[in-house]
């Protein structure tokens, strides 16, 4: 509960999406003792998931940054399409995970939790461990609770950005107000 409280406290400190994503992965990684945490967001135009933030810091520093996954294809695409969280205790024992789905060869355990607003998935919160059998159902439940907070925080950030743009521009022409 304390971890969830700390994470939700961090989520309410900023309305800037990039800063918010950076804080999410940092806090989840440190509080839950998880080596790698990745937030993937859904690109509405291409219907692909892309890495928006990871524990490496900026998305450019993240070794997973070039990874993109089509909705409905592969492990991450299936999680996004189904809207169901997945816990993989041992990657080597899973038959439905292909090597391209594993972001790093050292990864042995995975949790992928979809999050969204108004019934629409907008991204995934993923946690990775370098040992098999370490992630448990309790970790999955906690990440599902965190993912709900992440979805609300990202939606608030989006609405804040829209409101800010509407305050300084004309709604009809899109030009800046005098």
């Amino acid at each position: 509960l304390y971890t969830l409280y700390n994470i939700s406290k961090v989520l309410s400190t900023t309305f800037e999406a990039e800063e918010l994503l950076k804080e999410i992965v940092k806090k989840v990684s440190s509080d839950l003792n998880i080596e790698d945490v990745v937030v993937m967001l859904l690109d509405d135009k291409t219907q692909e998931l892309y890495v928006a933030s990871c524990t490496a810091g900026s998305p450019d520093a993240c070794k997973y940054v070039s990874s993109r996954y089509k909705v409905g294809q592969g492990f991450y695409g299936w999680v996004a399409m189904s809207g169901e969280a997945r816990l993989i205790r041992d990657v080597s024992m899973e038959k439905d995970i292909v090597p391209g789905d594993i972001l790093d060869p050292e990864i042995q355990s995975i949790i992928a939790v979809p999050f969204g607003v108004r019934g629409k998935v907008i991204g995934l919160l993923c946690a990775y461990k370098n040992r098999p059998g370490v992630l448990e159902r309790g970790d999955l439940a906690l990440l599902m609770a965190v993912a709900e907070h992440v979805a609300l925080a990202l939606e608030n950030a989006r609405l804040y950005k829209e409101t800010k743009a509407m305050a300084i521009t004309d709604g009809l022409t899109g030009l800046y107000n005098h």
Side-chain angles (χ1 to χ4, degrees):
L1 286 174
Y2 185 68
T3 298
L4 189 57
Y5 166 74
N6 279 337
I7 290 170
S8 64
K9 193 166 72 171
V10 166
L11 294 178
S12 65
T13 59
T14 183
F15 286 117
E16 299 297 327
E18 191 173 307
E19 183 67 28
L20 187 66
L21 292 170
K22 201 181 325 178
E23 290 299 317
I24 289 166
V25 295
K26 187 170 29 167
K27 199 69 174 157
V28 169
S29 177
S30 65
D31 285 5
L32 300 180
N33 193 27
I34 295 174
E35 285 98 3
D36 286 324
V37 177
V38 171
V39 175
M40 295 182 186
L41 295 179
L42 182 64
D43 183 344
D44 281 332
K45 292 177 185 148
T46 63
Q47 285 299 296
E48 290 181 327
L49 293 161
Y50 64 94
V51 175
S53 186
C54 65
T55 48
S58 71
D60 299 332
C62 184
K63 58 187 168 187
Y64 316 127
V65 77
S66 62
S67 303
R68 293 183 81 82
Y69 303 94
K70 274 270 192 219
V71 172
Q73 295 178 353
F75 173 72
Y76 300 106
W78 182 87
V79 171
M81 185 182 77
S82 70
E84 295 177 22
R86 286 283 310 267
L87 166 63
I88 306 295
R89 293 179 45 84
D90 189 350
V91 170
S92 64
M93 303 302 276
E94 287 292 318
K95 294 173 182 68
D96 60 339
I97 294 183
V98 294
D101 285 342
I102 301 171
L103 298 173
D104 188 334
E106 294 180 14
I107 292 172
Q108 298 294 316
S109 300
I110 303 173
I111 292 179
V113 179
F115 57 86
V117 290
R118 294 183 288 282
K120 181 181 177 244
V121 172
I122 61 170
L124 300 178
L125 177 61
C126 304
Y128 306 99
K129 288 273 196 170
N130 294 339
R131 293 182 317 258
V134 179
L135 294 171
E136 301 288 337
R137 290 254 176 238
D139 299 316
L140 176 64
L142 188 54
L143 277 176
M144 288 172 72
V146 169
E148 287 180 29
H149 288 280
V150 169
L152 289 173
L154 286 174
E155 180 66 4
N156 287 343
R158 185 190 66 78
L159 291 172
Y160 174 76
K161 184 178 177 183
E162 276 183 20
T163 304
K164 190 175 172 183
M166 288 170 51
I168 60 172
T169 58
D170 179 66
L172 181 62
T173 63
L175 299 173
Y176 286 105
N177 292 331
H178 181 42

